[in-house]
Coordinates of all heavy atoms in Angstrom, one line a residue:
S1 N 216.8 109.1 -34.4 CA 216.6 110.3 -35.3 C 215.2 110.4 -35.9 O 215.0 111.3 -36.8 CB 217.6 110.2 -36.4 OG 217.4 109.0 -37.2
F2 N 214.3 109.5 -35.5 CA 213.0 109.6 -36.0 C 211.9 110.1 -34.9 O 212.1 109.9 -33.8 CB 212.5 108.2 -36.4 CG 213.4 107.6 -37.4 CD1 214.0 106.4 -37.2 CD2 213.7 108.3 -38.7 CE1 214.9 105.8 -38.1 CE2 214.6 107.7 -39.6 CZ 215.2 106.4 -39.3
A3 N 210.9 110.9 -35.4 CA 209.9 111.4 -34.6 C 208.8 110.3 -34.4 O 208.2 110.2 -33.4 CB 209.3 112.7 -35.0
V4 N 208.6 109.6 -35.5 CA 207.4 108.6 -35.6 C 207.8 107.5 -36.5 O 208.6 107.8 -37.4 CB 206.2 109.2 -36.1 CG1 205.0 108.2 -36.1 CG2 205.7 110.5 -35.4
V5 N 207.4 106.3 -36.1 CA 207.6 105.1 -37.0 C 206.3 104.7 -37.5 O 205.3 104.5 -36.7 CB 208.4 104.0 -36.2 CG1 208.4 102.7 -37.0 CG2 209.7 104.4 -35.7
V6 N 206.2 104.4 -38.8 CA 205.0 103.9 -39.4 C 205.4 102.4 -39.8 O 206.3 102.2 -40.6 CB 204.5 104.6 -40.6 CG1 203.3 104.0 -41.3 CG2 204.1 106.0 -40.2
A7 N 204.8 101.4 -39.1 CA 205.3 100.1 -39.3 C 204.4 99.2 -40.4 O 203.2 99.1 -40.3 CB 205.2 99.3 -38.0
L8 N 205.2 98.6 -41.2 CA 204.7 97.7 -42.1 C 205.2 96.3 -41.8 O 204.7 95.2 -42.2 CB 205.0 98.1 -43.6 CG 204.4 99.4 -44.1 CD1 204.8 99.6 -45.5 CD2 202.9 99.4 -43.9
D9 N 206.3 96.3 -41.1 CA 206.9 95.0 -40.6 C 206.9 95.2 -39.1 O 206.7 96.2 -38.5 CB 208.3 94.9 -41.1 CG 208.4 94.6 -42.6 OD1 207.4 94.1 -43.2 OD2 209.4 94.9 -43.3
H10 N 207.4 94.0 -38.4 CA 207.5 94.0 -37.0 C 208.5 95.1 -36.5 O 209.6 95.2 -36.9 CB 207.9 92.7 -36.5 CG 208.2 92.6 -35.0 ND1 207.0 92.6 -34.1 CD2 209.2 92.6 -34.2 CE1 207.5 92.6 -32.9 NE2 208.8 92.6 -32.9
V11 N 208.1 95.8 -35.4 CA 208.9 96.7 -34.8 C 209.0 96.4 -33.3 O 207.9 96.2 -32.7 CB 208.4 98.2 -35.0 CG1 209.2 99.2 -34.1 CG2 208.3 98.6 -36.4
P12 N 210.2 96.1 -32.8 CA 210.3 95.7 -31.4 C 209.6 96.8 -30.4 O 209.6 98.0 -30.7 CB 211.7 95.7 -31.1 CG 212.3 95.6 -32.5 CD 211.4 96.3 -33.4
P13 N 209.0 96.2 -29.4 CA 208.2 97.2 -28.6 C 209.2 98.0 -27.7 O 208.7 99.0 -27.1 CB 207.5 96.2 -27.5 CG 208.2 94.9 -27.7 CD 208.8 94.9 -29.1
T14 N 210.5 97.8 -27.8 CA 211.5 98.6 -27.1 C 211.8 99.9 -27.8 O 212.5 100.8 -27.3 CB 212.7 97.8 -26.8 OG1 213.2 97.3 -28.0 CG2 212.5 96.7 -25.8
V15 N 211.3 100.1 -29.1 CA 211.6 101.3 -29.9 C 211.0 102.5 -29.1 O 209.9 102.5 -28.8 CB 211.0 101.1 -31.2 CG1 211.1 102.5 -31.9 CG2 211.8 100.0 -32.1
P16 N 211.9 103.5 -28.8 CA 211.4 104.6 -27.9 C 210.7 105.7 -28.5 O 210.7 106.8 -28.0 CB 212.8 105.1 -27.3 CG 213.8 104.8 -28.4 CD 213.3 103.6 -28.9
V17 N 210.1 105.5 -29.6 CA 209.4 106.6 -30.3 C 208.0 106.0 -30.7 O 207.8 104.8 -30.7 CB 210.0 107.1 -31.7 CG1 211.3 107.7 -31.3 CG2 210.2 105.9 -32.7
P18 N 206.9 106.8 -30.9 CA 205.6 106.2 -31.2 C 205.7 105.5 -32.6 O 206.3 105.9 -33.4 CB 204.8 107.6 -31.4 CG 205.5 108.6 -30.6 CD 206.9 108.3 -30.7
V19 N 204.9 104.3 -32.4 CA 204.7 103.5 -33.6 C 203.3 103.5 -34.1 O 202.5 103.3 -33.3 CB 205.2 102.0 -33.3 CG1 205.0 101.1 -34.5 CG2 206.7 102.1 -32.8
V20 N 203.0 103.7 -35.3 CA 201.8 103.7 -35.9 C 201.7 102.7 -37.1 O 202.7 102.4 -37.7 CB 201.5 105.2 -36.6 CG1 200.2 105.2 -37.3 CG2 201.6 106.3 -35.6
S21 N 200.6 101.9 -37.1 CA 200.4 100.9 -38.1 C 200.2 101.5 -39.5 O 199.4 102.4 -39.6 CB 199.2 100.0 -37.8 OG 199.1 99.1 -38.8
G22 N 201.0 100.9 -40.5 CA 200.8 101.4 -41.8 C 199.9 100.5 -42.6 O 199.7 100.7 -43.7
M23 N 199.5 99.4 -42.0 CA 198.7 98.4 -42.7 C 197.3 98.9 -43.4 O 197.0 98.5 -44.4 CB 198.4 97.2 -41.9 CG 199.6 96.4 -41.5 SD 200.7 96.0 -42.9 CE 199.7 94.9 -43.8
P24 N 196.6 99.8 -42.7 CA 195.5 100.4 -43.4 C 195.8 100.9 -44.8 O 194.9 100.8 -45.7 CB 194.9 101.5 -42.5 CG 195.4 101.1 -41.1 CD 196.8 100.4 -41.4
F25 N 196.9 101.5 -45.0 CA 197.3 102.1 -46.3 C 197.6 101.0 -47.2 O 197.2 101.1 -48.5 CB 198.5 102.9 -46.3 CG 198.3 104.0 -45.2 CD1 199.0 104.0 -44.0 CD2 197.6 105.2 -45.6 CE1 198.9 105.0 -43.1 CE2 197.5 106.2 -44.6 CZ 198.1 106.2 -43.4
V26 N 198.1 99.8 -46.8 CA 198.5 98.7 -47.7 C 197.2 97.9 -48.0 O 197.0 97.5 -49.2 CB 199.5 97.8 -47.0 CG1 199.8 96.5 -47.8 CG2 200.8 98.6 -46.8
L27 N 196.4 97.7 -47.1 CA 195.1 96.9 -47.2 C 194.0 97.7 -48.0 O 193.0 97.0 -48.4 CB 194.7 96.3 -45.9 CG 195.7 95.4 -45.2 CD1 195.1 95.1 -43.8 CD2 196.0 94.2 -45.9
G28 N 194.2 98.9 -48.0 CA 193.1 99.7 -48.7 C 191.8 100.0 -47.7 O 190.8 100.3 -48.3
T29 N 192.0 99.7 -46.5 CA 191.0 100.0 -45.5 C 191.1 101.5 -45.1 O 191.9 102.2 -45.5 CB 191.1 99.1 -44.3 OG1 192.4 99.3 -43.7 CG2 190.9 97.7 -44.7
D30 N 190.1 101.9 -44.3 CA 189.9 103.3 -43.9 C 191.2 103.6 -43.0 O 191.3 103.0 -41.9 CB 188.7 103.5 -43.2 CG 188.4 104.9 -42.8 OD1 189.3 105.8 -43.0 OD2 187.2 105.2 -42.3
P31 N 192.0 104.5 -43.4 CA 193.2 104.9 -42.7 C 193.0 106.0 -41.6 O 194.0 106.4 -41.1 CB 194.1 105.4 -43.7 CG 193.3 106.1 -44.7 CD 192.0 105.2 -44.8
R32 N 191.7 106.3 -41.3 CA 191.5 107.5 -40.5 C 192.1 107.3 -39.0 O 192.7 108.2 -38.4 CB 190.1 107.9 -40.3 CG 189.6 108.6 -41.5 CD 188.1 109.0 -41.4 NE 187.3 107.8 -41.6 CZ 186.0 107.9 -41.6 NH1 185.3 108.9 -41.5 NH2 185.3 106.8 -41.8
G33 N 192.0 106.0 -38.5 CA 192.6 105.7 -37.3 C 194.1 105.9 -37.2 O 194.7 106.5 -36.3
A34 N 194.8 105.4 -38.2 CA 196.2 105.5 -38.4 C 196.6 107.0 -38.5 O 197.6 107.4 -38.0 CB 196.8 104.6 -39.6
L35 N 195.9 107.7 -39.3 CA 196.2 109.1 -39.6 C 196.0 109.9 -38.3 O 196.8 110.8 -38.0 CB 195.4 109.7 -40.7 CG 195.7 109.2 -42.0 CD1 194.7 109.7 -43.1 CD2 197.2 109.5 -42.5
S36 N 195.0 109.6 -37.6 CA 194.8 110.3 -36.2 C 195.9 109.9 -35.2 O 196.4 110.9 -34.6 CB 193.4 109.8 -35.6 OG 193.2 110.3 -34.4
D37 N 196.4 108.6 -35.2 CA 197.5 108.3 -34.4 C 198.8 109.0 -34.9 O 199.5 109.5 -34.1 CB 197.7 106.8 -34.5 CG 196.7 106.0 -33.8 OD1 195.9 106.5 -33.0 OD2 196.7 104.7 -34.1
L38 N 198.9 109.1 -36.2 CA 200.1 109.9 -36.8 C 200.1 111.3 -36.3 O 201.1 111.9 -35.9 CB 200.2 109.7 -38.3 CG 201.3 110.5 -38.9 CD1 202.6 109.8 -38.6 CD2 201.1 110.4 -40.4
H39 N 198.9 111.9 -36.4 CA 198.7 113.4 -36.1 C 199.1 113.6 -34.5 O 199.8 114.5 -34.3 CB 197.3 113.8 -36.2 CG 197.1 115.2 -35.9 ND1 197.4 116.3 -36.7 CD2 196.4 115.8 -34.8 CE1 197.1 117.4 -36.2 NE2 196.5 117.1 -35.0
R40 N 198.7 112.7 -33.6 CA 199.0 112.7 -32.3 C 200.5 112.6 -32.0 O 201.1 113.3 -31.2 CB 198.2 111.8 -31.4 CG 196.8 112.2 -31.2 CD 196.1 111.4 -30.1 NE 196.0 110.0 -30.4 CZ 195.1 109.4 -31.2 NH1 194.1 110.1 -31.6 NH2 195.1 108.1 -31.5
A41 N 201.0 111.7 -32.8 CA 202.5 111.3 -32.5 C 203.3 112.5 -33.0 O 204.3 112.9 -32.4 CB 202.9 110.1 -33.2
L42 N 202.9 113.2 -34.1 CA 203.7 114.2 -34.7 C 203.6 115.6 -33.7 O 204.5 116.2 -33.5 CB 203.3 114.6 -36.1 CG 203.6 113.6 -37.1 CD1 203.0 114.1 -38.5 CD2 205.2 113.7 -37.3
E43 N 202.4 115.6 -33.2 CA 202.3 116.7 -32.2 C 203.0 116.6 -31.0 O 203.6 117.5 -30.5 CB 200.6 116.8 -31.8 CG 200.3 118.0 -31.0 CD 200.6 119.4 -31.7 OE1 200.6 119.5 -32.9 OE2 200.9 120.4 -30.9
L44 N 203.0 115.3 -30.5 CA 203.9 115.0 -29.4 C 205.4 115.3 -29.7 O 206.1 115.9 -28.9 CB 203.8 113.6 -28.9 CG 204.7 113.0 -27.9 CD1 204.2 113.7 -26.5 CD2 204.5 111.5 -27.7
A45 N 205.8 114.9 -30.9 CA 207.2 115.2 -31.3 C 207.4 116.7 -31.4 O 208.6 117.2 -31.0 CB 207.5 114.5 -32.7
R46 N 206.5 117.4 -31.9 CA 206.7 118.9 -32.0 C 206.9 119.5 -30.6 O 207.7 120.3 -30.4 CB 205.5 119.5 -32.6 CG 205.6 121.0 -32.9 CD 204.3 121.6 -33.5 NE 203.2 121.6 -32.5 CZ 203.2 122.4 -31.4 NH1 204.0 123.3 -31.1 NH2 202.1 122.3 -30.6
R47 N 206.1 119.0 -29.6 CA 206.2 119.6 -28.3 C 207.5 119.2 -27.6 O 208.0 119.9 -26.8 CB 205.1 118.9 -27.4 CG 203.8 119.6 -27.8 CD 202.7 119.1 -26.9 NE 201.4 119.5 -27.4 CZ 200.3 118.8 -27.1 NH1 200.2 117.8 -26.4 NH2 199.1 119.3 -27.6
R48 N 208.1 117.9 -28.0 CA 209.5 117.5 -27.5 C 210.6 118.3 -28.1 O 211.7 118.2 -27.8 CB 209.6 116.0 -27.8 CG 208.9 115.1 -26.8 CD 209.4 113.7 -27.0 NE 209.8 113.4 -28.3 CZ 209.4 112.5 -29.2 NH1 208.3 111.8 -28.8 NH2 209.8 112.3 -30.3

């Protein structure tokens, strides 16, 4: 039921949806890479 998973804990590699790291948000580092990954994953979900 999910289009994208943002992971703060371990997510098994068998999960069949895109997984994006949420750690940049937690650590206070630059989240641009994670946001770019999220954007691509949402676009893929929209196309599906």
Side-chain angles (χ1 to χ4, degrees):
S1 61
F2 304 122
V4 182
V5 171
V6 177
L8 299 177
D9 290 337
H10 175 72
V11 174
T14 56
V15 169
V17 296
V19 178
V20 175
S21 174
M23 291 313 290
F25 304 105
V26 174
L27 299 173
T29 58
D30 187 351
R32 283 184 285 188
L35 291 174
S36 177
D37 291 345
L38 178 68
H39 180 78
R40 281 192 301 275
L42 287 171
E43 188 58 30
L44 178 65
R46 185 187 65 77
R47 289 181 189 156
R48 285 191 329 242

